[in-house]
Amino acid sequence: MKPEIRNILGGITGAVVLNLVHEVAKRISHKAPRVDLLGEEAVTKTAEALGVEAPTGEALTASTFVADLASNAGYYAMIGKGDNDTILLRGAGYGLMAGLGAIGLAKPLGLNESTVARTDETKVLTVTWYVLGGLAAALAIKSLR
């Protein structure tokens, strides 16, 4: 299998794990980060900035899910660049940076930061889930090598 395909499959694995954790957590805890709401706001603002009508309802949910899955998969796929000896460290590092970016960049990007940074607990959960996604991607890539 070509390294690029392996890395993309690993990235998809990480993105799916991340989304599953988000979806399960939001259904069982009102304290859970709502990355889905942050994403919906980003999709809406992006559409408006492009001068197109933003999707609403189920179309917005689906568009956000696809955009989130694709962007996280592409990001996590980069974990595969490098050797196996440090892949888990890279996975954790990429996840850490993504989680910190989610909580730190929402406000500067004009998004509602309370969806991912409402409390210290919410912030820790947001970062932890992105780290889990990065580790899942790293493990998938490593197992495909």
Side-chain angles (χ1 to χ4, degrees), residues 1 10 13 18 25 28 31 33 39 41 43 46 50 53 55-56 75 78 93 95 119 121 123 129:
M1 179 183 310
T13 300
L18 174 64
I28 62 175
K31 294 181 179 181
E41 186 181 8
V43 167
T46 301
L50 294 172
E53 187 175 335
T56 59
Y75 177 76
M78 294 186 294
T119 65
E121 181 181 358
K123 291 175 188 177
W129 294 342

PDB file of all heavy atoms in Angstrom, residues 1 10 13 18 25 28 31 33 39 41 43 46 50 53 55-56 75 78 93 95 119 121 123 129:
ATOM      1  N   MET A   1       0.843  -1.176   0.000  1.00  0.00           N
ATOM      2  CA  MET A   1       0.000   0.000   0.000  1.00  0.00           C
ATOM      3  C   MET A   1       0.894   1.248   0.000  1.00  0.00           C
ATOM      4  O   MET A   1       1.862   1.323   0.736  1.00  0.00           O
ATOM      5  CB  MET A   1      -0.888  -0.026   1.258  1.00  0.00           C
ATOM      6  CG  MET A   1      -1.791   1.159   1.383  1.00  0.00           C
ATOM      7  SD  MET A   1      -2.811   1.215   2.907  1.00  0.00           S
ATOM      8  CE  MET A   1      -3.545  -0.379   2.971  1.00  0.00           C
ATOM      9  N   GLY A  10      -5.339   6.326   7.880  1.00  0.00           N
ATOM     10  CA  GLY A  10      -5.102   6.619   9.289  1.00  0.00           C
ATOM     11  C   GLY A  10      -5.748   7.925   9.709  1.00  0.00           C
ATOM     12  O   GLY A  10      -6.337   8.019  10.795  1.00  0.00           O
ATOM     13  N   THR A  13      -9.367   7.415  10.121  1.00  0.00           N
ATOM     14  CA  THR A  13      -9.616   6.712  11.385  1.00  0.00           C
ATOM     15  C   THR A  13      -9.617   7.688  12.560  1.00  0.00           C
ATOM     16  O   THR A  13     -10.520   7.663  13.399  1.00  0.00           O
ATOM     17  CB  THR A  13      -8.559   5.614  11.612  1.00  0.00           C
ATOM     18  OG1 THR A  13      -8.627   4.685  10.530  1.00  0.00           O
ATOM     19  CG2 THR A  13      -8.770   4.898  12.929  1.00  0.00           C
ATOM     20  N   LEU A  18     -12.567  10.830  16.623  1.00  0.00           N
ATOM     21  CA  LEU A  18     -12.850  12.148  17.188  1.00  0.00           C
ATOM     22  C   LEU A  18     -14.340  12.461  17.119  1.00  0.00           C
ATOM     23  O   LEU A  18     -14.951  12.875  18.106  1.00  0.00           O
ATOM     24  CB  LEU A  18     -12.045  13.220  16.448  1.00  0.00           C
ATOM     25  CG  LEU A  18     -12.326  14.674  16.804  1.00  0.00           C
ATOM     26  CD1 LEU A  18     -11.966  14.962  18.248  1.00  0.00           C
ATOM     27  CD2 LEU A  18     -11.557  15.586  15.862  1.00  0.00           C
ATOM     28  N   ALA A  25     -20.458  11.886  23.623  1.00  0.00           N
ATOM     29  CA  ALA A  25     -20.360  12.750  24.799  1.00  0.00           C
ATOM     30  C   ALA A  25     -21.470  13.793  24.847  1.00  0.00           C
ATOM     31  O   ALA A  25     -22.037  14.047  25.918  1.00  0.00           O
ATOM     32  CB  ALA A  25     -18.993  13.421  24.840  1.00  0.00           C
ATOM     33  N   ILE A  28     -24.633  12.377  26.285  1.00  0.00           N
ATOM     34  CA  ILE A  28     -24.690  11.907  27.674  1.00  0.00           C
ATOM     35  C   ILE A  28     -24.306  12.968  28.701  1.00  0.00           C
ATOM     36  O   ILE A  28     -24.515  12.754  29.886  1.00  0.00           O
ATOM     37  CB  ILE A  28     -23.835  10.632  27.885  1.00  0.00           C
ATOM     38  CG1 ILE A  28     -22.357  10.897  27.593  1.00  0.00           C
ATOM     39  CG2 ILE A  28     -24.356   9.491  27.057  1.00  0.00           C
ATOM     40  CD1 ILE A  28     -21.451   9.725  27.897  1.00  0.00           C
ATOM     41  N   LYS A  31     -22.184  18.975  29.880  1.00  0.00           N
ATOM     42  CA  LYS A  31     -20.900  19.661  30.045  1.00  0.00           C
ATOM     43  C   LYS A  31     -19.962  19.427  28.857  1.00  0.00           C
ATOM     44  O   LYS A  31     -18.908  20.039  28.765  1.00  0.00           O
ATOM     45  CB  LYS A  31     -20.210  19.199  31.327  1.00  0.00           C
ATOM     46  CG  LYS A  31     -20.921  19.591  32.591  1.00  0.00           C
ATOM     47  CD  LYS A  31     -20.164  19.122  33.800  1.00  0.00           C
ATOM     48  CE  LYS A  31     -20.864  19.530  35.080  1.00  0.00           C
ATOM     49  NZ  LYS A  31     -20.114  19.105  36.267  1.00  0.00           N
ATOM     50  N   PRO A  33     -18.064  19.475  25.369  1.00  0.00           N
ATOM     51  CA  PRO A  33     -17.826  20.494  24.339  1.00  0.00           C
ATOM     52  C   PRO A  33     -18.760  20.251  23.158  1.00  0.00           C
ATOM     53  O   PRO A  33     -19.105  19.107  22.860  1.00  0.00           O
ATOM     54  CB  PRO A  33     -16.378  20.256  23.925  1.00  0.00           C
ATOM     55  CG  PRO A  33     -15.770  19.464  25.024  1.00  0.00           C
ATOM     56  CD  PRO A  33     -16.873  18.668  25.627  1.00  0.00           C
ATOM     57  N   GLY A  39     -18.550  24.135  14.508  1.00  0.00           N
ATOM     58  CA  GLY A  39     -18.430  23.840  13.081  1.00  0.00           C
ATOM     59  C   GLY A  39     -19.583  24.404  12.273  1.00  0.00           C
ATOM     60  O   GLY A  39     -19.383  24.948  11.175  1.00  0.00           O
ATOM     61  N   GLU A  41     -21.372  26.974  12.995  1.00  0.00           N
ATOM     62  CA  GLU A  41     -21.184  28.423  12.926  1.00  0.00           C
ATOM     63  C   GLU A  41     -20.122  28.776  11.888  1.00  0.00           C
ATOM     64  O   GLU A  41     -20.284  29.728  11.107  1.00  0.00           O
ATOM     65  CB  GLU A  41     -20.793  28.956  14.309  1.00  0.00           C
ATOM     66  CG  GLU A  41     -20.719  30.456  14.373  1.00  0.00           C
ATOM     67  CD  GLU A  41     -20.314  30.986  15.738  1.00  0.00           C
ATOM     68  OE1 GLU A  41     -19.939  30.195  16.634  1.00  0.00           O
ATOM     69  OE2 GLU A  41     -20.365  32.221  15.899  1.00  0.00           O
ATOM     70  N   VAL A  43     -19.249  26.983   9.210  1.00  0.00           N
ATOM     71  CA  VAL A  43     -19.788  26.729   7.869  1.00  0.00           C
ATOM     72  C   VAL A  43     -20.710  27.872   7.460  1.00  0.00           C
ATOM     73  O   VAL A  43     -20.631  28.371   6.328  1.00  0.00           O
ATOM     74  CB  VAL A  43     -20.530  25.369   7.823  1.00  0.00           C
ATOM     75  CG1 VAL A  43     -21.365  25.238   6.561  1.00  0.00           C
ATOM     76  CG2 VAL A  43     -19.537  24.219   7.918  1.00  0.00           C
ATOM     77  N   THR A  46     -18.652  31.027   6.756  1.00  0.00           N
ATOM     78  CA  THR A  46     -17.885  30.860   5.522  1.00  0.00           C
ATOM     79  C   THR A  46     -18.782  31.032   4.301  1.00  0.00           C
ATOM     80  O   THR A  46     -18.417  31.728   3.336  1.00  0.00           O
ATOM     81  CB  THR A  46     -17.187  29.490   5.496  1.00  0.00           C
ATOM     82  OG1 THR A  46     -16.312  29.391   6.621  1.00  0.00           O
ATOM     83  CG2 THR A  46     -16.398  29.292   4.212  1.00  0.00           C
ATOM     84  N   LEU A  50     -18.605  33.997   1.424  1.00  0.00           N
ATOM     85  CA  LEU A  50     -18.473  33.686  -0.007  1.00  0.00           C
ATOM     86  C   LEU A  50     -19.655  34.203  -0.821  1.00  0.00           C
ATOM     87  O   LEU A  50     -19.670  34.086  -2.048  1.00  0.00           O
ATOM     88  CB  LEU A  50     -18.333  32.171  -0.202  1.00  0.00           C
ATOM     89  CG  LEU A  50     -17.059  31.549   0.360  1.00  0.00           C
ATOM     90  CD1 LEU A  50     -17.133  30.020   0.289  1.00  0.00           C
ATOM     91  CD2 LEU A  50     -15.844  32.066  -0.391  1.00  0.00           C
ATOM     92  N   GLU A  53     -25.798  31.240  -0.083  1.00  0.00           N
ATOM     93  CA  GLU A  53     -26.754  30.972   0.992  1.00  0.00           C
ATOM     94  C   GLU A  53     -26.244  29.826   1.855  1.00  0.00           C
ATOM     95  O   GLU A  53     -25.891  28.753   1.339  1.00  0.00           O
ATOM     96  CB  GLU A  53     -28.115  30.627   0.394  1.00  0.00           C
ATOM     97  CG  GLU A  53     -29.201  30.507   1.435  1.00  0.00           C
ATOM     98  CD  GLU A  53     -30.568  30.292   0.808  1.00  0.00           C
ATOM     99  OE1 GLU A  53     -30.768  30.682  -0.356  1.00  0.00           O
ATOM    100  OE2 GLU A  53     -31.420  29.719   1.504  1.00  0.00           O
ATOM    101  N   PRO A  55     -26.381  26.698   4.335  1.00  0.00           N
ATOM    102  CA  PRO A  55     -27.360  25.640   4.571  1.00  0.00           C
ATOM    103  C   PRO A  55     -27.981  25.795   5.960  1.00  0.00           C
ATOM    104  O   PRO A  55     -27.399  26.444   6.840  1.00  0.00           O
ATOM    105  CB  PRO A  55     -26.535  24.355   4.475  1.00  0.00           C
ATOM    106  CG  PRO A  55     -25.128  24.773   4.725  1.00  0.00           C
ATOM    107  CD  PRO A  55     -25.023  26.196   4.286  1.00  0.00           C
ATOM    108  N   THR A  56     -29.133  25.207   6.142  1.00  0.00           N
ATOM    109  CA  THR A  56     -29.807  25.228   7.443  1.00  0.00           C
ATOM    110  C   THR A  56     -30.299  23.827   7.768  1.00  0.00           C
ATOM    111  O   THR A  56     -30.319  22.948   6.902  1.00  0.00           O
ATOM    112  CB  THR A  56     -31.014  26.200   7.436  1.00  0.00           C
ATOM    113  OG1 THR A  56     -31.932  25.777   6.425  1.00  0.00           O
ATOM    114  CG2 THR A  56     -30.581  27.633   7.188  1.00  0.00           C
ATOM    115  N   TYR A  75      -5.711  16.622   8.219  1.00  0.00           N
ATOM    116  CA  TYR A  75      -4.770  17.056   9.253  1.00  0.00           C
ATOM    117  C   TYR A  75      -4.103  15.859   9.909  1.00  0.00           C
ATOM    118  O   TYR A  75      -2.874  15.783  10.013  1.00  0.00           O
ATOM    119  CB  TYR A  75      -5.520  17.909  10.282  1.00  0.00           C
ATOM    120  CG  TYR A  75      -4.664  18.352  11.442  1.00  0.00           C
ATOM    121  CD1 TYR A  75      -3.742  19.375  11.292  1.00  0.00           C
ATOM    122  CD2 TYR A  75      -4.790  17.747  12.692  1.00  0.00           C
ATOM    123  CE1 TYR A  75      -2.951  19.795  12.355  1.00  0.00           C
ATOM    124  CE2 TYR A  75      -4.012  18.157  13.767  1.00  0.00           C
ATOM    125  CZ  TYR A  75      -3.092  19.173  13.593  1.00  0.00           C
ATOM    126  OH  TYR A  75      -2.320  19.582  14.646  1.00  0.00           O
ATOM    127  N   MET A  78      -1.221  13.790   8.218  1.00  0.00           N
ATOM    128  CA  MET A  78       0.160  14.270   8.267  1.00  0.00           C
ATOM    129  C   MET A  78       0.979  13.594   9.363  1.00  0.00           C
ATOM    130  O   MET A  78       2.203  13.632   9.340  1.00  0.00           O
ATOM    131  CB  MET A  78       0.181  15.788   8.440  1.00  0.00           C
ATOM    132  CG  MET A  78      -0.388  16.530   7.241  1.00  0.00           C
ATOM    133  SD  MET A  78      -0.218  18.324   7.340  1.00  0.00           S
ATOM    134  CE  MET A  78      -1.264  18.722   8.727  1.00  0.00           C
ATOM    135  N   GLY A  93       0.956  14.910  19.739  1.00  0.00           N
ATOM    136  CA  GLY A  93       1.291  16.314  19.493  1.00  0.00           C
ATOM    137  C   GLY A  93       0.339  16.977  18.515  1.00  0.00           C
ATOM    138  O   GLY A  93      -0.106  18.115  18.749  1.00  0.00           O
ATOM    139  N   GLY A  95      -2.715  16.041  17.918  1.00  0.00           N
ATOM    140  CA  GLY A  95      -3.990  16.159  18.618  1.00  0.00           C
ATOM    141  C   GLY A  95      -3.991  17.318  19.597  1.00  0.00           C
ATOM    142  O   GLY A  95      -4.962  18.086  19.678  1.00  0.00           O
ATOM    143  N   THR A 119     -15.960  26.147  30.155  1.00  0.00           N
ATOM    144  CA  THR A 119     -15.367  25.985  31.486  1.00  0.00           C
ATOM    145  C   THR A 119     -13.994  25.340  31.317  1.00  0.00           C
ATOM    146  O   THR A 119     -13.649  24.864  30.231  1.00  0.00           O
ATOM    147  CB  THR A 119     -16.225  25.056  32.374  1.00  0.00           C
ATOM    148  OG1 THR A 119     -16.217  23.741  31.810  1.00  0.00           O
ATOM    149  CG2 THR A 119     -17.660  25.554  32.494  1.00  0.00           C
ATOM    150  N   GLU A 121     -13.209  22.512  32.500  1.00  0.00           N
ATOM    151  CA  GLU A 121     -13.505  21.108  32.181  1.00  0.00           C
ATOM    152  C   GLU A 121     -13.791  20.937  30.691  1.00  0.00           C
ATOM    153  O   GLU A 121     -13.303  19.988  30.061  1.00  0.00           O
ATOM    154  CB  GLU A 121     -14.700  20.628  33.004  1.00  0.00           C
ATOM    155  CG  GLU A 121     -15.064  19.181  32.747  1.00  0.00           C
ATOM    156  CD  GLU A 121     -16.277  18.721  33.557  1.00  0.00           C
ATOM    157  OE1 GLU A 121     -16.823  19.507  34.354  1.00  0.00           O
ATOM    158  OE2 GLU A 121     -16.665  17.558  33.376  1.00  0.00           O
ATOM    159  N   LYS A 123     -12.706  22.809  28.268  1.00  0.00           N
ATOM    160  CA  LYS A 123     -11.440  22.992  27.560  1.00  0.00           C
ATOM    161  C   LYS A 123     -10.604  21.713  27.607  1.00  0.00           C
ATOM    162  O   LYS A 123     -10.052  21.276  26.584  1.00  0.00           O
ATOM    163  CB  LYS A 123     -10.635  24.146  28.163  1.00  0.00           C
ATOM    164  CG  LYS A 123     -11.236  25.504  27.942  1.00  0.00           C
ATOM    165  CD  LYS A 123     -10.433  26.568  28.681  1.00  0.00           C
ATOM    166  CE  LYS A 123     -11.115  27.908  28.645  1.00  0.00           C
ATOM    167  NZ  LYS A 123     -10.390  28.923  29.424  1.00  0.00           N
ATOM    168  N   TRP A 129     -10.079  15.056  23.530  1.00  0.00           N
ATOM    169  CA  TRP A 129     -10.692  14.351  22.406  1.00  0.00           C
ATOM    170  C   TRP A 129      -9.872  14.479  21.128  1.00  0.00           C
ATOM    171  O   TRP A 129      -9.759  13.535  20.354  1.00  0.00           O
ATOM    172  CB  TRP A 129     -12.118  14.824  22.198  1.00  0.00           C
ATOM    173  CG  TRP A 129     -13.002  14.438  23.365  1.00  0.00           C
ATOM    174  CD1 TRP A 129     -12.739  13.485  24.321  1.00  0.00           C
ATOM    175  CD2 TRP A 129     -14.235  15.008  23.715  1.00  0.00           C
ATOM    176  NE1 TRP A 129     -13.751  13.436  25.217  1.00  0.00           N
ATOM    177  CE2 TRP A 129     -14.697  14.364  24.882  1.00  0.00           C
ATOM    178  CE3 TRP A 129     -15.023  16.012  23.162  1.00  0.00           C
ATOM    179  CZ2 TRP A 129     -15.899  14.678  25.477  1.00  0.00           C
ATOM    180  CZ3 TRP A 129     -16.217  16.324  23.768  1.00  0.00           C
ATOM    181  CH2 TRP A 129     -16.642  15.654  24.908  1.00  0.00           C
TER     182      TRP A 129
END
